[in-house]
């Protein structure tokens, strides 16, 4: 039923719970796991005036690469083949496009990665992905501690 499973991750606790589910499902279906982290390319220049936007983007990219490699190691330790990717873009756009381009047949993602006011102002990446995806999206709710 599932040959290629996509798990987008931002390294948050909620995303980590989704990773656990994705690895388990991939193991059960002998599916390839695609681990994606998106470096948000929306303007970051206002967030750290003393640091150039290029430096901020590079720091975010380095963090994203670290996150996907850690997930790939976990998957491979569980006997699951993993493919990693770090893509620039708007997160929900990149997730939907990646799933289509790589012919993924399931997306497994946490219900939220952002917290507080930023989440409410920007909306939910997961919510927009669910609305736009042409493949099933399994959403994994975080713990009560993740919500705090």
């Amino acid at each position: 039923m599932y040959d290629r499973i996509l798990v987008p991750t931002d390294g948050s606790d909620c995303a980590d719970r989704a990773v656990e589910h994705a690895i388990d499902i991939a193991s059960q279906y002998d599916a390839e796991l695609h681990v994606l982290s998106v470096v948000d390319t929306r303007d970051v220049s206002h967030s750290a005036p003393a640091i150039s936007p290029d430096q901020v983007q590079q720091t975010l990219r380095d963090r994203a690469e670290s996150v996907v490699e850690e997930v790939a190691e976990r998957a491979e330790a569980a006997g699951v083949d993993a493919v990693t990717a770090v893509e620039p873009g708007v997160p929900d756009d990149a997730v939907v496009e990646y799933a289509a381009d790589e012919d993924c047949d399931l997306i497994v993602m946490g219900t939220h990665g952002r917290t507080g006011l930023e989440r409410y102002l920007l909306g939910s990446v997961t919510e927009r992905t669910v609305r736009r995806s042409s493949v099933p999206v399994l959403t994994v709710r975080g713990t009560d501690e993740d919500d705090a």
Side-chain angles (χ1 to χ4, degrees), residues 2-147:
Y2 302 117
D3 296 317
R4 281 171 297 288
I5 298 170
L6 172 59
V7 61
T9 182
D10 60 3
S12 67
D13 291 341
C14 189
D16 193 55
R17 288 180 50 86
V19 164
E20 292 173 18
H21 285 268
I23 290 172
D24 185 57
I25 294 167
S27 178
Q28 289 182 36
Y29 284 94
D30 195 27
E32 182 177 69
L33 184 66
H34 288 250
V35 185
L36 172 67
S37 189
V38 180
V39 177
D40 197 333
T41 56
R42 291 175 282 198
D43 186 33
V44 294
S45 60
H46 65 280
S47 61
I51 303 171
S52 78
D54 289 341
Q55 288 174 306
V56 173
Q57 286 292 324
Q58 186 59 52
T59 300
L60 293 173
R61 182 168 189 76
D62 291 346
R63 166 94 168 96
E65 288 173 358
S66 175
V67 167
V68 297
E69 287 304 320
E70 186 271 327
V71 171
E73 289 171 9
R74 287 171 53 193
E76 290 170 4
V80 172
D81 291 334
V83 174
T84 63
V86 174
E87 298 289 338
V90 176
D92 52 297
D93 291 342
V95 169
V96 170
E97 288 171 21
Y98 185 94
D101 290 348
E102 296 298 323
D103 200 25
C104 295
D105 33 36
L106 176 67
I107 300 171
V108 180
M109 61 192 304
T111 54
H112 63 275
R114 301 182 195 280
T115 58
L117 183 60
E118 181 181 37
R119 177 172 174 235
Y120 293 105
L121 291 175
L122 296 175
S124 168
V125 170
T126 304
E127 194 175 314
R128 290 189 302 270
T129 301
V130 167
R131 280 195 222 119
R132 298 178 49 215
S133 177
S134 61
V135 299
V137 179
L138 172 64
T139 60
V140 178
R141 185 170 173 80
T143 65
D144 290 339
E145 292 169 358
D146 295 338
D147 294 335

